[in-house]
Amino acid sequence: MAETLSANRIRRLIEAAGSPAAVLTQDVESLTHRSGLMATDVERLRTQVQAEPLRLAATRDHKARQAHGVRLLTVQDPDYPPLLKAAPDPPLALWVWGVLQPQDVYAVAILGSSRCSEYGAGQTKRFARRLAEYGLTVVNGGEVGIDAVALEAALETGGRAVACLGAGLHNHGRPHHGLYERLVESGQGAVISCAALQTPANPANQVMGDYAVAGMSIAMLITEAALHSGALIAARIAHEQLGRDLFSLCDQIDSSHARGTLRLIAERRARLTLDPDTLFQYLIESTDKLAHQVSRQARPLPLLNHNFGRSRDPFQVPLTEIQRRCVESLRTSMTPDQLAEATGLPVSQTRSSLHQLALAGILAKSLNRFDWPTTYL
């Protein structure tokens, strides 16, 4: 909650000291030498953190989190979203209402204009439903319009969804509180924020929310956006700051609803996609590229924990029981229906597990069939 230093500088201090508490107690000269910061930076931070107004605000936030079941995740927590943690400037903490699951690492951001057309809403629902069936988590900022349609579609399909708000959870000012409640109470997702519960909405906090959306996702799909849509700001953050792949849909060239997405395609910042199946194949490529990006970070994350060869997935996501049964039963190229019959598992669960295994690079997907990659043979 201190605003004296940037998140990156505070992170450097914590790493140099060993813990947040040690930042407030260790010798200033020694701390500045190890962190590379100036002594005045450390002293200003200590002064602000120990001031009575901020301590009271932190106490109120702590009590409110306890009362409403909101969890605080710091960047040091093992449950912190791994893709976001690997970003250049991850938020120091997340306020999480609901539950984040390990499979949320397989997330795609689907967002667009708040004033969407019937076409945009329909296509958003089509893509969100299909990708949720594939086992991907749908992530966006929880705004009206395209964002809400995508989250609703994922929930209706039985998939997972996460809303990253650009304000505190208790001060977001959005008309979607009922949607957020269903998302949390269903156990199918979470609502998160990068700021304390009572933090108001403002442009800076909205950028933090957009950064979290982009950072948690493998790639971003803009289904419909006007030229000055907030979705284009999120797309720029995803592409320019985080190196995420962008995808867009095509619409009438004279439609004001589509000028933003069409410009992304025309400027070759976004790749045109026509159907969810093709998009999924692109997402496999995006995951592969992202794995190489993360592996070049100073703090690389461990490879997938399994016994079936190397994976393109750079994150420690243990195989679920359903995934393990799928890979153990796979003998040759098989469809989800065939594998469901062989394992005795429901087709829907088998399908989503197979698609997650394809994203992780454990299996290869061709049309509607799954097989071992040739590198395993």
Side-chain angles (χ1 to χ4, degrees):
M1 299 171 70
E3 299 176 353
T4 302
L5 299 178
S6 67
N8 258 334
R9 289 189 170 193
I10 295 176
R11 189 179 305 105
R12 284 164 57 186
L13 280 174
I14 293 173
E15 291 175 351
S19 72
V23 172
L24 305 179
T25 58
Q26 286 189 6
D27 176 70
V28 173
E29 183 178 352
S30 173
L31 193 56
T32 55
H33 175 72
R34 294 197 305 274
S35 67
L37 272 65
M38 299 175 61
T40 53
D41 292 332
V42 180
E43 291 167 353
R44 282 202 311 270
L45 179 65
R46 287 181 172 182
T47 299
Q48 184 178 8
V49 169
Q50 294 171 343
E52 190 68 15
L54 191 143
R55 296 178 69 87
L56 288 174
T59 300
R60 287 193 297 269
D61 185 82
H62 175 68
K63 291 181 178 179
R65 284 191 283 109
Q66 288 184 314
H68 296 280
V70 176
R71 182 184 180 190
L72 185 69
L73 283 182
T74 74
V75 72
Q76 296 177 319
D77 194 295
D79 293 335
Y80 193 95
L83 280 175
L84 182 57
K85 186 174 184 177
D89 191 17
L92 285 173
L94 299 175
W95 280 251
V96 181
W97 184 33
V99 179
L100 294 172
Q101 299 287 355
Q103 64 263 35
D104 292 332
V105 72
Y106 306 116
V108 59
I110 303 179
L111 60 160
S113 295
S114 56
R115 298 179 180 179
C116 60
S117 67
E118 183 177 347
Y119 168 85
Q123 291 301 317
T124 299
K125 183 175 294 187
R126 172 187 170 220
F127 274 78
R129 280 179 172 172
R130 194 64 171 168
L131 293 176
E133 290 175 353
Y134 285 169
L136 284 107
T137 298
V138 174
V139 181
N140 59 44
E143 300 283 357
V144 297
I146 294 295
D147 287 18
V149 170
L151 295 176
E152 290 272 17
L155 291 180
E156 291 170 359
T157 312
R160 290 190 54 77
V162 175
C164 303
L165 306 185
L169 295 179
H170 289 177
N171 202 15
H172 49 76
R174 308 293 200 278
H176 286 323
H177 194 267
L179 170 59
Y180 301 154
E181 285 185 336
R182 292 198 304 277
L183 195 154
V184 174
E185 292 173 358
S186 67
Q188 293 173 232
V191 185
I192 70 175
S193 172
C194 305
L197 296 180
Q198 296 297 335
T199 304
N202 59 46
N205 291 330
Q206 186 60 55
V207 169
M208 289 173 60
D210 291 338
Y211 192 95
V213 169
M216 286 185 65
S217 308
I218 295 168
M220 181 176 290
L221 171 64
I222 311 294
T223 57
E224 184 178 63
L227 278 178
H228 302 292
S229 172
L232 294 189
I233 298 176
R236 187 159 55 246
I237 292 173
H239 187 63
E240 297 177 3
Q241 296 185 29
L242 299 178
R244 299 300 196 261
D245 288 335
L246 300 180
F247 301 94
S248 292
L249 306 184
C250 192
D251 197 359
Q252 293 178 322
I253 60 174
D254 59 351
S255 170
S256 60
H257 293 284
R259 288 175 184 168
T261 49
L262 292 174
R263 173 169 289 183
L264 288 175
I265 296 170
E267 294 177 350
R268 298 185 178 181
R269 286 187 289 165
R271 191 170 186 173
L272 174 64
T273 182
L274 302 178
D275 61 83
D277 294 336
T278 303
L279 175 59
F280 184 82
Q281 292 296 139
Y282 293 156
L283 291 176
I284 293 177
E285 299 174 10
S286 298
T287 306
D288 190 20
K289 184 178 73 172
L290 184 57
H292 286 92
Q293 290 178 354
V294 172
S295 67
R296 291 196 299 268
Q297 300 290 329
R299 299 185 297 265
L301 296 171
L303 289 171
L304 190 71
N305 181 24
H306 62 78
N307 297 318
F308 301 97
R310 287 184 62 84
S311 167
R312 290 191 300 261
D313 186 343
F315 308 107
Q316 180 100 12
V317 184
L319 294 181
T320 66
E321 180 59 28
I322 294 177
Q323 289 173 339
R324 189 168 295 280
R325 288 172 64 179
C326 287
V327 295
E328 289 174 350
S329 301
L330 187 66
R331 297 290 179 266
T332 184
S333 178
M334 299 174 72
T335 67
D337 290 349
Q338 291 171 334
L339 202 53
E341 183 177 355
T343 58
L345 296 169
V347 175
S348 59
Q349 294 181 6
T350 303
R351 181 185 298 112
S352 63
S353 294
L354 289 171
H355 281 88
Q356 288 181 348
L357 291 168
L359 279 173
I362 300 172
L363 298 181
K365 181 178 185 292
S366 178
L367 298 178
N368 194 39
R369 306 186 72 87
F370 294 83
D371 200 353
W372 294 105
T374 55
T375 54
Y376 290 1
L377 302 178

